[in-house]
Amino acid sequence: MNNPFFPDVTLPASDHRRLERLAQVGADQGDVDARFLLSEINRAEVVPDRAARLDSIVTMGSWVTFWITWGFPRETRQLVYPEDYTSERTQIPVMSPLGAALVGLKVGSEIPFFTAGRTNVVKIERVDRGDPNDVVRVLFSNPMVKGKKLFDDDDPGPSAA
């Protein structure tokens, strides 16, 4: 039975198995974030790894564009396992409060999560599961600053003289 206050969670079978083991170990050690992740995993619908609908779901390794609690700037980062975490600027570890909240959500979903002594809400705007170079191209294709494009789409860029 779905909880009306929390969005649906969908996980590919391979992520489900690995995340469940990871979260269980942390939960057994008293890690609050691992307990939250385990609760999300336990309520998830598990689908085949190649299910088409996973294209709009935050899965491990996907790049997710999101907003946190009204007013914070939009961010795009990659959801990663703890052992793959190398950059605070570009990645989110799944064992963090935000990472545990993001995993398995679809575009348009929002969910509360607790961090730094307060409750925040994260909303998913976009999910990219492609090649990292494709993701970088998409992210920087039309950057906006204060509602104005940084680059003119009609400008062909530099040319040789």
Side-chain angles (χ1 to χ4, degrees):
M1 185 168 107
N2 291 336
N3 182 325
F5 299 106
F6 289 97
D8 292 340
V9 174
T10 305
L11 293 173
S14 60
D15 282 2
H16 183 267
R17 285 187 297 272
R18 188 170 174 192
L19 287 170
E20 188 173 44
R21 286 191 301 267
L22 181 67
Q24 189 62 60
V25 168
D28 290 347
Q29 296 172 353
D31 184 316
V32 175
D33 298 330
R35 287 182 182 157
F36 175 52
L37 178 59
L38 192 57
S39 71
E40 292 296 281
I41 293 165
N42 287 336
R43 67 185 194 86
E45 176 186 1
V46 180
V47 299
D49 287 354
R50 297 200 185 276
R53 68 181 170 157
L54 288 174
D55 288 345
S56 64
I57 303 285
V58 179
T59 59
M60 296 308 301
S62 64
W63 290 83
V64 58
T65 302
F66 59 91
W67 299 84
I68 296 178
T69 311
W70 319 279
F72 280 86
R74 176 177 57 193
E75 294 185 51
T76 299
R77 295 205 225 161
Q78 184 182 35
L79 185 65
V80 297
Y81 287 103
E83 63 270 19
D84 298 327
Y85 181 68
T86 59
S87 171
E88 182 178 329
R89 291 185 57 205
T90 61
Q91 297 175 319
I92 300 168
V94 72
M95 294 294 285
S96 68
L98 177 57
L102 290 172
V103 71
L105 295 185
K106 68 179 178 182
V107 172
S109 295
E110 55 184 69
I111 189 171
F113 70 101
F114 191 77
T115 187
R118 62 183 277 202
T119 299
N120 293 287
V121 175
V122 62
K123 182 170 183 172
I124 311 303
E125 181 179 294
R126 179 185 179 125
V127 175
D128 291 291
R129 295 178 36 140
D131 177 282
N133 292 323
D134 290 341
V135 172
V136 170
R137 179 184 47 74
V138 168
L139 295 177
F140 295 102
S141 62
N142 280 317
M144 304 282 280
V145 173
K146 294 185 181 179
K148 299 190 188 248
K149 289 184 180 179
L150 289 176
F151 306 106
D152 183 354
D153 290 338
D154 296 327
D155 182 359
S159 59

